[in-house]
Amino acid sequence: MSRKEKAPGASSRGATLKESSHIHSQDRRSFLRGGTLLAGATVASAAGLTGARAQRLEIPPSGKEMGHIIEAEAYGMPSKFEAKVKRRRTDVLVNKQNWSDWSMTPLQSQLGIVTPNGLFFERHHAGVPDIDPDHHVLVIHGMVKQPLKFSMSDLMRYPSVSKFHFLECSGNGLTDWTKAASKTVQQSHGLLSCAQWTGVPLATLLDEAGVDPAAKWALFEGADGSTHARSIPMDKVLADTLLVWGQNGEMLRPEQGYPLRAFVPGWEGNVSVKWLRRVKIGDQPWHLRSETARYTDPMPEGKWRQFSFMMECKSVITRPSGGMKLQGPGSYEIEGFAWSGNGSIKAVDVTLDGGKNWREARLEEPALDKCLTRFRYTWNWDGGPAKIASRAVDSTGYVQPTVSDIAKARALVGFVQHHNGVFPWSIGQDGEVKNAIV
Ligand SMILES: Nc1nc2c(c(=O)[nH]1)N[C@H]1C(S)=C(S)[C@@H](COP(=O)(O)O)O[C@H]1N2
Ligand SMILES: [Mo]
């Protein structure tokens, strides 16, 4: 048995202390590698630390006084030193009004695969309503044997499930098809988040209502000022669509649809109707505004594609990414996210030379179905100009395309949705990381 294994219960305080100061100096080295991505004071002071051998660990001021007392009742907040980590509205498309608006997740700061609720991206067509759950009602009607009405407490009595899934707006990336408009990954890819969702499969409720065998579609309608609504094919409704009230262990945030939203795994965010008040069953789609005037894709010869629900396999490097700066040659950890609306992630490749050569990245567990998956690649930067990008492969064998591959099949004009192309960052000799879409 090694000394390390003995340490926790061991009587020798000296041994434990040595052990931990050893870990500390290692921590400092790995901290330095990560820290060098960001310019600023931390880098300078960390560089001083690595030179010195840790002989004695001083007791910091925080260890010599009492801390803050526990508030009698409070909702915990992040450290004040993390105040820069925030959702942000886009700088690229300047909004003329704030009702139909969006804010983006700081993907460059996210750790692990779960997006904290306060950083979950937002997309609203008519602002965020304030809905009292005690007065919220959901109705299921149309081609069913018996129309049903539920209060929130009725719904929460059904057997629930909790599933990790990403949510991505079909407009994610629409500013960066043909030119480098976004400076950071938050702006280019931040209409993407991931949570553990808790709710009841819609199939359970439909079973009780008794769906007419001739029914083929369901309509979801929200209780917000936009009365946002979408038509969803019955196959998907029965396969895995959820009605959720939970998000990462607590009730949905108002921005995410409190107290009830539809959640359609792997499909464009738009169909996961928030503040859900009505599910109508029918035998054909309703061809609503959001499926005719909006959320359709321009195709060659002036045609438009309707009902392009699936968010296809995609990935992006989040670190290093736009706005960061490498502090000289050396070892860096390239990290990012890969996801697919069609299954799980099977592999991610990384290029360092703008797509000439590709190397296999490591996937971090868990790599779940229709969920953000983290990849890593350890890179020894020689200090020369580089162009880095990632390319993901999903469990169906689908390979993330390049923008020029997509352009062969579709027309890249106006507000093009569903941009899942390979996304490059350039690194200059000065270490600056920039959006390299051309
Ligand atoms: N009722 C309602 N549902 C809605 C919307 C809306 O404006 N109203 N926006 C949709 C769009 S376009 C997206 S991308 C997702 C965003 O979900 P989020 O704000 O929880 O990230 O919600 C969808 N559901
Ligand atoms: Mo969206």
Side-chain angles (χ1 to χ4, degrees):
M1 194 189 250
S2 77
R3 198 162 53 94
K4 195 172 177 187
E5 283 170 281
K6 259 191 247 158
S11 55
S12 159
R13 205 179 136 86
T16 318
L17 188 64
K18 250 194 213 151
E19 194 79 44
S20 70
S21 63
H22 173 67
I23 291 166
H24 268 268
S25 56
Q26 268 198 343
D27 271 353
R28 280 184 193 128
R29 271 200 293 277
S30 49
F31 167 67
L32 178 67
R33 247 188 281 143
T36 49
L37 290 172
L38 304 163
T42 27
V43 174
S45 62
L49 282 176
T50 39
R53 281 214 177 267
Q55 298 290 0
R56 211 177 69 164
L57 186 58
E58 299 290 346
I59 295 172
S62 58
K64 295 179 187 163
E65 60 190 28
M66 307 305 281
H68 295 292
I69 61 161
I70 293 175
E71 289 172 57
E73 289 183 6
Y75 191 96
M77 298 302 282
S79 160
K80 65 182 177 195
F81 300 107
E82 298 300 319
K84 279 193 301 246
V85 184
K86 279 183 180 148
R87 288 194 289 234
R88 286 190 178 81
R89 287 168 61 203
T90 172
D91 294 345
V92 180
L93 291 172
V94 180
N95 221 352
K96 297 194 185 74
Q97 42 73 37
N98 305 131
W99 303 118
S100 175
D101 204 352
W102 54 97
S103 74
M104 293 152 154
T105 294
L107 296 173
Q108 70 279 14
S109 306
Q110 185 173 317
L111 310 174
I113 57 171
V114 169
T115 309
N117 288 340
L119 299 174
F120 205 97
F121 85 92
E122 307 167 82
R123 173 73 182 104
H124 324 298
H125 291 87
V128 181
D130 248 328
I131 297 176
D132 179 344
D134 291 344
H135 296 136
H136 190 68
V137 170
L138 172 80
V139 163
I140 296 180
H141 68 130
M143 291 173 67
V144 292
K145 273 204 203 81
Q146 46 169 356
L148 299 174
K149 184 172 147 184
F150 303 90
S151 67
M152 282 309 296
S153 59
D154 295 337
L155 283 173
M156 290 168 78
R157 286 175 59 185
Y158 284 85
S160 66
V161 295
S162 293
K163 304 244 179 191
F164 290 93
H165 289 302
F166 75 84
L167 185 71
E168 185 182 19
C169 176
S170 54
N172 199 23
L174 70 73
T175 51
D176 293 83
W177 281 96
T178 53
K179 60 175 194 308
S182 298
K183 289 200 173 56
T184 64
V185 72
Q186 180 166 13
Q187 291 191 348
S188 63
H189 288 76
L191 295 177
L192 167 74
S193 298
C194 185
Q196 189 190 33
W197 305 98
T198 300
V200 60
L202 180 48
T204 306
L205 306 179
L206 290 181
D207 193 43
E208 194 173 321
V211 173
D212 184 324
K216 291 276 176 300
W217 290 78
L219 171 111
F220 295 167
E221 187 186 79
D224 54 329
S226 71
T227 42
H228 177 64
R230 288 297 311 257
S231 311
I232 316 293
M234 197 53 105
D235 289 352
K236 182 67 175 173
V237 166
L238 297 178
D240 58 1
T241 298
L242 304 173
L243 302 192
V244 303
W245 52 81
Q247 175 185 357
N248 292 331
E250 59 184 1
M251 290 299 284
L252 289 168
R253 291 290 167 94
E255 303 91 301
Q256 266 68 58
Y258 182 85
L260 185 70
R261 84 180 297 169
F263 192 87
V264 188
W267 283 19
E268 60 183 20
N270 192 260
V271 296
S272 286
V273 173
K274 300 190 276 190
W275 311 294
L276 186 73
R277 65 182 289 266
R278 192 159 75 94
V279 175
K280 185 176 184 183
I281 305 301
D283 56 2
Q284 42 194 323
W286 282 264
H287 298 290
L288 304 154
R289 177 177 178 271
S290 281
E291 29 209 46
T292 50
R294 300 279 184 279
Y295 302 97
T296 52
D297 309 312
M299 301 298 275
E301 295 163 26
K303 293 201 173 115
W304 289 77
R305 179 172 73 177
Q306 208 185 6
F307 301 123
S308 48
F309 294 122
M310 172 78 68
M311 296 311 289
E312 277 174 311
C313 180
K314 185 166 170 180
S315 69
V316 69
I317 293 173
T318 54
R319 195 176 176 88
S321 62
M324 294 182 184
K325 187 169 181 174
L326 306 189
Q327 302 292 306
S331 178
Y332 291 92
E333 191 80 344
I334 293 179
E335 285 185 60
F337 291 119
W339 63 101
S340 169
N342 219 355
S344 59
I345 294 299
K346 277 287 159 296
V348 176
D349 300 323
V350 165
T351 181
L352 309 167
D353 55 13
K356 286 191 208 80
N357 296 289
W358 293 90
R359 298 133 201 263
E360 194 162 350
R362 282 140 31 223
L363 296 186
E364 193 175 288
E365 291 289 319
L368 301 171
D369 182 49
K370 304 177 184 72
C371 187
L372 289 190
T373 300
R374 213 165 239 288
F375 66 87
R376 293 168 183 282
Y377 181 85
T378 308
W379 176 40
N380 206 5
W381 183 44
D382 62 9
K387 198 166 168 189
I388 61 171
S390 60
R391 178 178 72 185
V393 183
D394 74 14
S395 49
T396 68
Y398 174 99
V399 181
Q400 183 183 359
T402 61
V403 176
S404 50
D405 289 336
I406 301 171
K408 286 179 199 141
R410 294 166 55 188
L412 307 187
V413 292
F415 283 163
V416 187
Q417 318 256 334
H418 293 274
H419 177 349
N420 68 324
V422 166
F423 195 93
W425 302 108
S426 65
I427 294 153
Q429 268 164 314
D430 56 2
E432 288 209 23
V433 188
K434 291 190 173 142
N435 182 339
I437 282 276
V438 278

